[in-house]
Amino acid sequence: MEAGSRRIKEQDAWAKELFPTVHARLKQAAETLPPDSPVQPFVDALTELVQAQADTTGFVVLHRWVEILERHFPPQPPDPEHTTE
C-alpha cells in the first residue's frame, strides 16, 4: 500500500513538473494550423479544456465542459434550405 501511495505521489509530482512544457507544446502545435482549418474548433476546445484541467486540483466539472464545448461548438440554426425528404 505504501509503494502504491509513493508511486502516485511520484506520478503527480512528475506531471505537475512537466505539464507547463507539454501544454506549451500543445498550444504551439495549435498555432501552426491555418485559421480556416476545419479542425480549428476541436483544437481550440482541447486547448481550453487542458487549461481548465490545469487550473483545478481535481477534475473539470461537467458544467465547465459544457461551457467550453458550447463556446467552440455553438448550436447551428436550422437551415431552411435543408430537407430530409
Side-chain angles (χ1 to χ4, degrees):
M1 200 132 156
E2 286 180 32
S5 178
R6 185 175 23 28
R7 186 172 46 251
I8 290 170
K9 287 179 183 177
E10 289 169 355
Q11 288 173 337
D12 192 46
W14 170 80
K16 285 179 181 178
E17 180 181 330
L18 285 179
F19 181 82
T21 302
V22 296
H23 190 230
R25 289 195 307 243
L26 170 67
K27 290 192 294 188
Q28 187 176 33
E31 290 169 359
T32 65
L33 292 171
D36 59 346
S37 172
V39 299
Q40 193 64 51
F42 295 96
V43 172
D44 292 343
L46 174 62
T47 303
E48 189 172 347
L49 285 164
V50 169
Q51 183 61 56
Q53 181 62 52
D55 293 342
T56 183
T57 56
F59 293 98
V60 177
V61 294
L62 181 59
H63 75 269
R64 186 74 177 112
W65 272 84
V66 172
E67 290 169 3
I68 292 168
L69 293 175
E70 185 81 1
R71 187 171 27 264
H72 295 285
F73 302 99
Q76 301 296 317
D79 181 358
E81 301 295 319
H82 178 76
T83 61
T84 56
E85 296 175 6

